[in-house]
Each structure stands twice: as C-alpha cells, then as structure tokens.
Amino acid sequence: MPDLVNQISDIEGLEWIKLHYLYPNNFPLEILDIMKNKSNVCQYLDIPLQHISNNMLEKMRRNFTKEQSYDLVRRIRDKVPEISLRTTFMTGFPGETDKDFKQLIDFVQEMRFERMGVFTYSHEEDTFAYKNYKDAIPVKIKNERAEILMELQRNISFELNTRRIGQKMRVIIDEEKDGKYIGRTAYDSPEVDGIVLIDSAKKIKVGNFYTVTINSADEYDLYASI
C-alpha cells in the first residue's frame, strides 16, 4: 500500500488522497512518512479499532491487543502531529463486562479521537459470534453504553472544533442546499464526518476547492465564509 499511495500521489491534478478502513493489525507505518512528505495525501486515517479490552479483542478475533492499540495511536500522532484520526467502537459484544467497558471509556478519554463512531452489537446469522456466543447483554445496556461513549465524543469533538475558529482551511464543495454551501475539509469524509456550512454572497461551484475562514463551530460541524 505505501508504494501504491506514493505512486498515486504523483498523478498531476489529484488533489486529495484519503485512506479509509486500515486495519490496526499489520498497519503500514511507512504510510506516515508519505503523508508528511506528500501534500495531497490527507493527514487523515480511518482505523476501526472496535474495542480496547483484551478480553473483547480476543473474543472479536481482532488479532490485536490493548497494548498494541495504545502504541499504534501514539506512534501515529508522534509521527504526524496534525493528523485527524477516525475510529469506530462496538458496545454490547457478547461477554462485555462493566470492566471491559470502563477500559473503553478510559481509552476514548485519553486518545481524544477527532472522529469516532459507535454502534451496538447485532447478533447476525452465520457470523462467528452468532455461532459461538450468546447474545446475553440487554439492548438497553448496549444502547446506554453507546450513548455514554458518544456523549464523551461530543465534548471532545466540540473542544477540537472550536480550536479551528479563525483558521483558514481548504474545503471541497459537495452541494448547495437552501442557499448554503456544504463543504468538507481534508479531515472529513463524506456522510460519516462533519461538514463545513459556508455563507457566500457570490456563486461558488460544487466540486471545486475554496479557501474559507472558520467563523464558529459546534460538536460536529464548522461554519465558515469564503
């Protein structure tokens, strides 16, 4: 993958290269040097960590440990300090204890991911978990745990977003809606991350890149002007 990304980045006119769903197991660390040296390789990574408790990671068959997860995130941030990290976590996987969940809370608080999604375990037929584990955690508990994590993330995201106020950022315009323009920064992916809502007295073109000034922010979105 590092060789591929490096070659793609040399294609003239290719503005943004963004990497999604890189498994933590056997993570290609060479990507980080390319990211630092190639301006069109976005300083953004989507890494689905799923959990942090070794008990859960083993049950999920992730082939990765709590210690390796902490080490990977720290190495990435040390190498690319301005990086924006997205991850996803699951609550309510069979066998998840209060202790397991507390480890996940601590991890989220310490790592302060720029982007994070949470979903609850679903007992889907023909999966390894369906065949080998009992779906014993009540839906109410699954949902409560997910909401606790998302509330944590809302606070983290709001704090990180407010630091952007006053900055000039490059955005791509995705659509025009009700007289407003909706864009994305290099640190956001479509449909899953935040947006930049832009006021502009003049007509701007969907699909083009513009430099905007960030005027305000909320938990997930930024508000800007050309």
Side-chain angles (χ1 to χ4, degrees), residues 55-196:
N55 176 42
M56 287 290 93
L57 292 170
E58 184 177 350
K59 284 179 176 292
M60 292 176 174
R61 305 167 81 205
R62 298 296 290 176
N63 299 313
F64 209 66
T65 66
K66 171 182 179 177
E67 294 74 23
Q68 289 173 312
S69 298
Y70 270 95
D71 181 64
L72 177 61
V73 174
R74 286 168 178 155
R75 289 178 74 176
I76 291 171
R77 290 204 188 279
D78 285 345
K79 193 76 171 179
V80 189
E82 295 301 312
I83 199 163
S84 182
L85 291 178
R86 154 167 278 282
T87 193
T88 49
F89 294 114
M90 181 190 295
T91 62
F93 191 87
E96 184 186 50
T97 65
D98 289 341
K99 183 179 178 181
D100 294 324
F101 182 61
K102 177 62 167 58
Q103 291 182 54
L104 187 51
I105 290 174
D106 292 344
F107 184 58
V108 170
Q109 287 177 322
E110 184 174 349
M111 293 296 105
R112 294 171 61 79
F113 294 98
E114 284 77 12
R115 311 286 183 256
M116 189 185 87
V118 180
F119 57 100
T120 58
Y121 172 76
S122 177
H123 211 47
E124 297 182 13
E125 290 188 30
D126 298 324
T127 62
F128 178 86
Y130 183 88
K131 295 174 182 176
N132 292 274
Y133 304 132
K134 183 179 179 182
D135 185 18
I137 298 177
V139 172
K140 181 181 177 182
I141 299 297
K142 294 178 185 179
N143 291 336
E144 285 176 352
R145 288 175 177 174
E147 182 53 37
I148 287 169
L149 287 183
M150 287 311 301
E151 180 61 26
L152 274 175
Q153 184 59 26
R154 277 191 284 270
N155 293 331
I156 292 168
S157 182
F158 178 70
E159 183 181 334
L160 295 177
N161 271 356
T162 54
R163 294 181 185 178
R164 298 283 188 192
I165 296 173
Q167 292 184 10
K168 287 182 168 55
M169 302 187 74
R170 194 160 183 256
V171 300
I172 186 170
I173 307 301
D174 284 331
E175 63 177 307
E176 180 184 359
K177 189 174 182 181
D178 300 327
K180 300 275 188 181
Y181 293 94
I182 298 173
R184 271 183 297 119
T185 73
Y187 307 107
D188 298 291
S189 286
E191 299 182 6
V192 292
D193 292 330
I195 59 174
V196 184

Side-chain angles (χ1 to χ4, degrees), residues 15-73:
E15 299 276 355
W16 280 356
I17 299 165
K18 196 171 292 181
L19 301 172
H20 292 84
Y21 223 74
L22 275 70
Y23 270 52
N25 192 24
N26 297 319
F27 182 88
L29 288 167
E30 302 92 334
I31 284 286
L32 303 177
D33 287 319
I34 297 169
M35 192 174 282
K36 286 183 67 176
N37 296 324
K38 301 282 190 171
S39 61
N40 60 351
V41 180
C42 297
Q43 295 188 358
Y44 172 102
L45 284 173
D46 173 12
I47 306 175
L49 293 170
Q50 303 293 75
H51 216 285
I52 194 60
S53 156
N54 281 330
N55 176 42
M56 287 290 93
L57 292 170
E58 184 177 350
K59 284 179 176 292
M60 292 176 174
R61 305 167 81 205
R62 298 296 290 176
N63 299 313
F64 209 66
T65 66
K66 171 182 179 177
E67 294 74 23
Q68 289 173 312
S69 298
Y70 270 95
D71 181 64
L72 177 61
V73 174

